[in-house]
């Protein structure tokens, strides 16, 4: 099928590449001329597994790029809207980009088209979209509107698209539902998974991708409710981690116990410095506003957000507890991205924490495998230093802070790290190590929801440079 994807950001570009991968003729549209020129030249603007391969495979063939909405609409049967829906000052989603695109589409529609909303939007956006298309001159018979929310995680977006837990289609008429079913057929029949050269995903548990058809309002609600639920799971476990810390329990053990209940599940139960990124913070907020507009006070979401903000201040307190004062202290920071496997730093808890540390007079040297460039754009002129590897970042530092869950940070050469730091203190906001492992490697190790681990040889309290004000367990160091 001929498909137009309007908006070439994370969701748009990944969707366009994946639609081409499953056999469709796709035009990816953006009004940013420079971005389109770069894509045509073969540049990949985001760090995303398998995306370079897909762009290379289909660019100039089944995947083309354009700056013209009119031309793309003319050529296509289905038009996906994937433009940004940023947070407005009032907390609700700003739908002005969606509206502007709808206006352009309306002016270009000839023949029957399916307009599909894929950006994250509040419930009832399809209704507004329909109204806008009519208002700008499209005849009711010339188009249908459907919702097709995405559930792509940055870093694994390509495999999330091609191997989904479910595809949700919100359609208010049979024709729209039929077109959407046809688009996703290579996944829902499992045909794609048997194709030679298909992008692999060993952990996929379905033979055919499940597809759920609902009405448009339900589909839109599914998206907001899914993100809000996942954010709630993270805030819930962070709250439990705080209790765990106070009583000397181990949150990793608690999660293993709680998560093994199949009704709860182990995923999204990793305690840390809170959720970030371009989705959860914005979507939880927007969903609460949607509830308000329905005269429902969704106080639970207010609490989810409060716990998330508090988690960062608790981490800062941990740093102060470990180092006493921060002025002039040198900190080696590992991680800038809002999570591992991405170069995205939007709403990154790491950047919020770093800004606060710099404000308190600490000197920061940071390393991230891919997010340094984007972090520099958001944190200009701070005097912060950047390093090209974790050991240089940690060199001669008073403490090492782990702020992003990169796999690389979970497998550091601890002996080497120990040899470059000024004081062997690690404050881990992502729980990447077992406390006893770090203490045995000679580190005073602070993490989330677990007691501080201290090597047996470290002096306590007044004698030490570290102020162990939290419950601590001592472990004998292992030689060698
Ligand atoms: C999220 C959802 O997971 C996707 O399903 C959704 O499509 C996407 O938002 C969106 O709406 O576009 P993403 O923002 O890429 O995807 O990132 P996640 O992997 O969900 O992580 C979000 C944040 O939660 C990160 O800061 C991560 O570090 C944190 N997190 C995640 C935790 O603190 N603990 C966990 O157990 C899991």
């Amino acid at each position: 099928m001929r498909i137009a994807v309007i908006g070439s950001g994370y969701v748009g570009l990944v969707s366009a590449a994946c639609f081409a991968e499953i056999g469709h003729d796709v035009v990816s549209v953006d009004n940013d001329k420079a971005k389109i020129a770069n894509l045509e030249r073969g540049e990949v603007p985001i760090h995303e597994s398998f995306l370079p391969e897909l762009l290379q495979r289909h660019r100039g063939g089944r995947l083309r790029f354009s700056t013209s909405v009119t031309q793309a609409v003319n050529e296509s049967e289905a038009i996906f809207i994937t433009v940004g829906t940023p947070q407005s000052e009032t907390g609700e989603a700003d739908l002005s980009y969606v509206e502007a695109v709808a206006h352009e589409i309306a002016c270009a529609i000839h023949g029957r088209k399916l307009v599909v909303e894929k950006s994250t939007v509040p419930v009832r956006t399809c209704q507004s979209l329909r109204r806008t298309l009519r208002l700008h001159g499209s005849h009711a018979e010339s188009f249908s509107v459907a919702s097709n929310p995405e559930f792509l995680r940055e870093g694994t977006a390509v495999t999330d698209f091609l191997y989904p837990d479910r595809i949700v289609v919100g359609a208010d008429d049979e024709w729209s539902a039929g077109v959407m079913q046809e688009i996703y057929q290579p996944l829902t029949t499992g045909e794609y998974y048997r194709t030679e050269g298909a992008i692999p995903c060993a952990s996929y548990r379905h033979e055919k991708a499940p597809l759920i058809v609902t009405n448009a309002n339900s589909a839109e609600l599914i998206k907001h409710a899914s993100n809000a639920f996942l954010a709630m799971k993270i805030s819930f476990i962070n709250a439990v981690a705080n209790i765990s810390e106070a009583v000397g329990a181990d949150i990793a053990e608690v999660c293993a116990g709680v998560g093994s209940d199949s009704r709860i599940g182990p995923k999204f139960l990793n305690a840390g410095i809170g959720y970030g990124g371009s989705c959860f913070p914005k979507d939880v907020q927007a969903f609460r506003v949607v509830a308000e507009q329905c005269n429902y006070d969704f106080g639970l979401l207010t609490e989810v957000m409060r716990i998330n903000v508090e988690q960062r201040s608790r981490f800062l307190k941990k740093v102060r507890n470990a180092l006493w004062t921060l002025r002039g202290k040198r900190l080696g920071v590992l991680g800038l991205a809002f999570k591992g496997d991405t170069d995205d730093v939007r709403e990154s808890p790491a950047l919020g924490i770093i800004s606060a540390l710099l404000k308190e007079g600490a000197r920061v040297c940071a390393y991230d495998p891919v997010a340094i460039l984007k972090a520099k754009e958001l944190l200009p002129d701070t005097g912060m230093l950047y390093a090209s590897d974790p050991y240089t970042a940690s060199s001669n530092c008073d403490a090492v802070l782990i702020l992003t869950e990169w796999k690389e940070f979970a497998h550091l050469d601890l002996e080497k790290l120990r040899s470059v730091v000024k004081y062997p203190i690690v404050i881990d906001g992502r729980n990447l190590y077992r406390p006893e492992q770090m203490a045995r490697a000679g580190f005073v190790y602070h993490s989330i929801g677990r007691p501080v681990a201290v090597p047996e040889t470290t002096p306590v309290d007044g004698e030490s440079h570290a102020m162990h004000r939290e419950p601590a367990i001592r472990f004998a160091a292992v030689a060698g």
Side-chain angles (χ1 to χ4, degrees), residues 11 120 150-155 160 223 227 230 234 237-238 267-280 283 338-340 349 405 430:
V11 175
T120 300
E150 53 83 17
F151 303 100
L152 314 178
R153 287 162 300 174
E154 289 184 19
D160 284 347
K223 169 68 191 185
N227 273 7
L230 291 169
I234 297 169
I237 209 62
N238 281 334
K267 292 183 181 163
F268 275 68
L269 280 185
N270 296 321
I273 49 178
Y275 60 78
S278 65
C279 305
F280 285 175
D283 292 351
F338 83 96
K339 64 169 190 178
E405 66 272 46
R430 298 296 191 165

